[in-house]
Amino acid sequence: MGTPTRIILREDEIPTQWYNIQPDLPNPLQPPLHPETGEPIGPEELAPIFPMNLIEQEVSQQRWIDIPGPVLEKLATYRPTPLQRAKALEEALGTPAKIYYKNEGVSPPGSHKPNTAIAQAYYNKEFGIKRLTTETGAGQWGSALAMACSLFGLECKVFMVRISFDQKPLRKLMMQAWNADCVASPSNETEIGRRILAEKPDTPGSLGIAISEAIEDCVRSDDTRYSLGSVLNHVMLHQTVIGLEAKRQLEMVGDYPDVVIGCAGGGSNFAGLSFPFLYDKINGRQVEVVATEPTACPTLTRGPFTYDFGDTGMTTPLLPMYTLGHDFVPPPIHAGGLRYHGMAPLVSRLVRDGLVEPRALHQNDCYESAVLFARTEGFICAPETSHAIATAIHEARRAKEEGKEKTILLNWSGHGLMDLSGYEAFFRGDLVDLALPEEDLRESLKGVEDLPKPK
Amino acid sequence: MLEEHDERRRRCARLGHEVTFRYCRTQEGESLCTRILDCWWETFGVRAFLAEHLGEDEVRRLQEHERPDKRLSILRMLEEARRRIGDSEADP
């Protein structure tokens, strides 16, 4: 009998420690500087919004951090998650590659996000906090935190951007089922919300306003703190259970990945799968680690108007290649990372240090891949997850062309059952890739015209 | 016409669902979404469109906009929230 389709760990095999990559970074993470004082931001400045035990994790240099028993107990409601071999997808592609996916869609809210929501709820409760506030767009993070607060008996207040509140009523109901108080933002419950509503009663809101409301609500009360589901170091830390489990599951079948792939929005699901493998890479093991994102709104690769050109064909945005031909490879113009700041600092650091390769993909490619995955493996993925699937398919096809065996591991970060409108647009043929007019192209290339051209 | 592309739709990476172009150019009632160029460049000539209607300076400002570190954004919002609360308590 060959490799099993589902590789399952026992409940007592959930990792008991998180992996903190900070002490292993080739170049340490620099704290952000306070804009007024120019001094590094210290932990005490974050204390009004985060409990000190989480702030300590944020700056910790301890490589392995014990997962508290109550957190393990709650994680066990859906962990360990299965590692699955995509045999039908491999067959459809006719590839010699083996494709494994870590199925984080089995959690109650349907994504990886509870891995940190549960930990954050626990640490807040331990610190004496009674209530958490947060913001949410479509509701993935809001529902994960709502569930976690419910499990630990904390109150939860979610400010949901009004346009999302109106468009995603089912997520709102999920949060309600988990006992969270979910209100449309801007709301009448904060000063900033009231001011905005007074000026524009019909405003659809924005994520910026929702964050402002959540923070204002938090600072009004001593027993309330704010919670964030991406970007911060402790969020990345909590997600490493994904990769730690995956490593153990691959060991069970005597395998190890050649390529590890995750989609990178705020960075947390990518970090969760990849950091334990990056530990091996930093210690000399050969493994390729790829972070994928859309060509529209890229964070790690480059914006269309401020490209860092100059990596391989697969990773360079298609625009200049398509328009100017394959001989034209403009040089890097801001490799320091103008566009890196929307991403988790840890992930950005790893990209800059060359340990992680970012790739950008067009949306039609991603949806085609998601649909192929659904038709072969059965699971319908979240739109973000489709980027990882598309990259895995590229790798598998490349392995076929080269006639090489290859082991590919991707993070199947969440299901798309609450988010099917993107599929609808794809099926209607409404998604457009690359239709940039000449005048925009000329304008976008002005920034590089004075720089030396490669030979 | 400024409203020419308002009904175009695409997925917003920040919110996680579809939005219209109108939302991106008016989201907070007073300013464009700072990602508007990045998100719409594949769909139509958004740069030329915005330059025509809002002026070249506004578009350059958008292009040069650097996304702040999240921790700095949170601290800024924290300070603003404290100021608002202080104002509202001082103004019965």
Side-chain angles (χ1 to χ4, degrees):
Chain A
M1 185 176 160
T3 309
T5 301
R6 299 170 81 235
I7 305 160
I8 308 288
L9 294 173
R10 295 188 315 271
E11 188 176 314
D12 62 4
E13 292 177 303
I14 299 176
T16 54
Q17 292 182 311
W18 290 299
Y19 169 54
N20 179 16
I21 202 168
Q22 289 202 63
D24 294 320
L25 290 175
N27 294 293
L29 215 52
Q30 299 300 318
L33 302 180
H34 198 288
E36 287 171 16
T37 63
E39 296 294 316
I41 289 176
E44 66 285 351
E45 291 180 79
L46 294 168
I49 37 181
F50 299 115
M52 196 47 75
N53 47 18
L54 282 177
I55 294 173
E56 283 165 6
Q57 286 188 350
E58 187 68 15
V59 296
S60 173
Q61 290 296 314
Q62 194 182 323
R63 181 173 294 118
W64 298 100
I65 295 178
D66 289 341
I67 305 177
V71 174
L72 286 171
E73 204 175 287
K74 302 302 181 194
L75 288 176
T77 56
Y78 62 95
R79 302 206 75 86
T81 61
L83 179 72
Q84 305 198 206
R85 173 95 182 262
K87 291 179 179 174
L89 176 63
E90 291 168 15
E91 196 177 320
L93 295 170
T95 178
K98 288 180 279 186
I99 304 173
Y100 295 92
Y101 59 101
K102 184 68 171 155
N103 190 348
E104 292 294 304
V106 299
S107 77
S111 78
H112 67 292
K113 294 197 185 255
N115 297 334
T116 185
I118 285 172
Q120 290 190 46
Y122 166 78
Y123 283 111
N124 274 281
K125 186 170 184 178
E126 278 295 291
F127 196 68
I129 299 305
K130 308 275 188 241
R131 183 171 171 274
L132 288 178
T133 67
T134 196
E135 76 288 341
T136 199
Q140 266 201 5
W141 169 243
S143 49
L145 190 67
M147 183 202 78
C149 285
S150 173
L151 296 180
F152 282 104
L154 294 174
E155 289 178 46
C156 182
K157 177 86 172 191
V158 182
F159 292 90
M160 189 172 187
V161 182
R162 174 169 288 284
I163 186 173
S164 313
F165 189 87
D166 294 338
Q167 275 193 35
K168 295 281 180 182
L170 299 182
R171 281 282 181 190
K172 182 174 58 195
L173 291 172
M174 284 170 72
M175 288 183 252
Q176 198 176 350
W178 281 312
N179 205 28
D181 180 12
C182 174
V183 295
S185 167
S187 74
N188 272 314
E189 302 190 16
T190 63
E191 278 298 314
I192 182 82
R194 285 189 286 274
R195 285 183 198 177
I196 291 167
L197 285 174
E199 286 172 21
K200 282 186 72 80
D202 297 327
T203 181
S206 72
L207 217 44
I209 295 170
I211 299 170
S212 291
E213 287 204 273
I215 289 177
E216 184 184 319
D217 185 322
C218 159
V219 297
R220 275 187 183 280
S221 166
D222 287 343
D223 65 4
T224 301
R225 289 292 183 275
Y226 169 69
S227 182
L228 190 62
S230 64
V231 178
L232 300 179
N233 301 340
H234 66 264
V235 177
M236 309 296 124
L237 173 79
H238 300 154
Q239 293 293 354
T240 57
V241 287
I242 303 172
L244 293 167
E245 280 181 10
K247 274 174 92 168
R248 197 174 293 184
Q249 286 162 311
L250 284 168
E251 279 169 19
M252 285 168 67
V253 293
D255 220 336
Y256 190 86
D258 297 295
V259 192
V260 175
I261 301 164
C263 56
S268 74
N269 97 70
F270 168 76
L273 180 71
S274 68
F275 281 10
F277 293 95
L278 282 164
Y279 172 75
D280 295 345
K281 184 168 181 160
I282 290 165
N283 286 288
R285 189 147 191 182
Q286 185 65 35
V287 55
E288 205 177 335
V289 180
V290 179
T292 65
E293 61 181 3
T295 51
C297 274
T299 307
L300 284 167
T301 43
R302 68 285 302 162
F305 298 93
T306 49
Y307 287 126
D308 297 331
F309 299 112
D311 42 18
T312 63
M314 284 297 289
T315 64
T316 304
L318 298 177
L319 164 66
M321 308 290 286
Y322 179 82
T323 312
L324 299 173
H326 292 280
D327 295 338
F328 180 84
V329 183
I333 54 175
H334 59 83
L338 175 66
R339 296 265 164 185
Y340 284 35
H341 295 297
M343 170 59 60
L346 279 171
V347 177
S348 298
R349 184 72 260 168
L350 291 160
V351 171
R352 288 187 211 181
D353 288 342
L355 289 162
V356 171
E357 181 192 343
R359 295 185 192 173
L361 299 167
H362 285 303
Q363 53 186 348
N364 273 310
D365 183 10
C366 295
Y367 274 108
E368 276 166 23
S369 302
V371 169
L372 176 61
F373 191 92
R375 290 175 184 174
T376 50
E377 294 297 315
F379 291 105
I380 298 171
C381 71
E384 296 86 353
T385 311
S386 70
H387 294 90
I389 295 172
T391 305
I393 288 174
H394 291 174
E395 289 290 333
R397 286 187 170 135
R398 188 185 295 172
K400 181 182 179 182
E401 285 165 17
E402 295 172 352
K404 284 184 184 168
E405 287 190 4
K406 187 181 261 186
T407 298
I408 300 164
L409 171 64
L410 71 105
N411 195 4
W412 205 88
S413 54
H415 71 62
L417 302 180
M418 305 289 289
D419 199 1
L420 292 168
S421 60
Y423 285 90
E424 187 183 19
F426 171 69
F427 292 136
R428 278 199 313 258
D430 287 353
L431 300 182
V432 180
D433 286 337
L434 201 65
L436 191 65
E438 281 297 316
E439 67 267 29
D440 275 21
L441 175 64
R442 279 195 299 274
E443 195 59 41
S444 71
L445 293 178
K446 273 184 185 170
V448 297
E449 63 192 11
D450 294 334
L451 294 168
K453 301 291 185 290
K455 292 176 183 172
Chain B
M1 187 176 68
L2 183 58
E3 295 80 16
E4 182 182 348
H5 297 289
D6 275 1
E7 296 313 311
R8 289 181 184 269
R9 302 181 76 85
R10 64 159 291 116
R11 181 180 171 79
C12 170
R14 298 180 76 201
L15 292 178
H17 59 75
E18 273 199 344
V19 294
T20 60
F21 181 69
R22 183 174 188 282
Y23 177 74
C24 304
R25 73 170 184 81
T26 64
Q27 57 154 3
E28 293 182 48
E30 52 195 30
S31 62
L32 300 163
C33 176
T34 52
R35 297 192 185 194
I36 195 167
L37 294 175
D38 289 353
C39 290
W40 287 94
W41 71 282
E42 288 180 302
T43 311
F44 71 103
V46 62
R47 193 196 181 288
F49 174 78
L50 292 176
E52 182 188 341
H53 291 281
L54 305 174
E56 188 62 32
D57 287 348
E58 178 71 6
V59 176
R60 285 202 186 284
R61 190 186 62 75
L62 275 175
Q63 278 179 240
E64 287 161 10
H65 174 79
E66 191 166 340
R67 289 174 196 152
D69 184 289
K70 189 86 179 180
R71 289 163 292 184
L72 288 178
S73 300
I74 288 171
L75 280 180
R76 181 179 55 77
M77 289 182 185
L78 173 63
E79 284 167 16
E80 287 171 0
R82 283 171 155 166
R83 208 172 300 131
R84 281 195 303 273
I85 291 169
D87 288 351
S88 69
E89 285 170 356
D91 183 20

